[in-house]
Amino acid sequence: MLIADFRHHIQTSYVIPHEFVALCAGNMQAYNLLGYLFWWTDWVETHEPHRHGWTYQTAENLLAGLQLTRRGYQKAREALLELGVLQYRRSGVFGRMHWKLNKEKLLEMVYQVRGQEPPEFVALCFESCEFGDFAG
């Protein structure tokens, strides 16, 4: 049996880039959360662009998706905040935790990990990219 045969029998929701592991200095909780939020940010930007990159994940989502307890995701969040690649806020009826990646800072840091200069990147934005309104 080949891995190619085996791959069809398992679920993969996201992949963690090598740069995220290096960026988080091997902090498994932080790079797992970063990879997870990266995947969800891509999904939100594609399917719900009116959210301007903000996604929400409940404690139950993080436990089911990453096996992160409340303390685990708090420590991961602190590490990502220190790096400057994450914003968060509570919003909505039930005070859900909303997350947003600072993609420009993340791209810059990915290139730092590689030892290269980041490329110039111009984002297309039709409204306020930073703090757009969204339904929580």
Side-chain angles (χ1 to χ4, degrees):
M1 176 188 312
L2 300 173
I3 291 294
D5 300 322
F6 184 83
R7 191 173 295 136
H8 300 288
H9 299 277
I10 59 174
Q11 291 182 346
T12 352
S13 56
Y14 66 97
V15 175
I16 300 169
H18 295 288
E19 292 88 351
F20 290 5
V21 176
L23 180 67
C24 295
N27 179 335
M28 186 173 71
Q29 294 170 325
Y31 68 68
N32 274 322
L33 181 60
L34 182 56
Y36 189 74
L37 294 174
F38 189 82
W39 187 91
W40 276 108
T41 298
D42 183 42
W43 189 92
V44 165
E45 289 176 344
T46 303
H47 295 91
E48 298 183 10
H50 63 278
R51 289 184 172 267
H52 305 287
W54 285 94
T55 182
Y56 70 86
Q57 296 296 318
T58 65
E60 292 81 17
N61 294 139
L62 296 173
L63 184 60
L66 297 172
Q67 300 302 303
L68 282 179
T69 62
R70 180 177 178 183
R71 183 68 184 136
Y73 75 73
Q74 286 175 337
K75 290 176 80 172
R77 180 181 69 207
E78 289 169 13
L80 297 175
L81 286 170
E82 260 185 50
L83 291 172
V85 298
L86 181 68
Q87 298 175 42
Y88 76 98
R89 64 182 176 198
R90 290 204 178 273
S91 182
V93 177
F94 299 106
R96 289 181 179 149
M97 185 69 77
H98 288 77
W99 311 79
K100 183 173 183 174
L101 293 179
N102 180 342
K103 294 174 294 231
E104 291 79 12
K105 180 70 174 175
L106 182 58
L107 182 65
E108 175 187 320
M109 295 186 85
V110 161
Y111 273 86
Q112 283 178 355
V113 164
R114 293 178 179 172
Q116 301 172 348
E117 287 292 318
E120 290 293 321
F121 184 77
V122 178
L124 297 176
C125 186
F126 300 105
E127 295 178 32
S128 170
C129 289
E130 196 63 31
F131 297 105
D133 293 331
F134 60 91

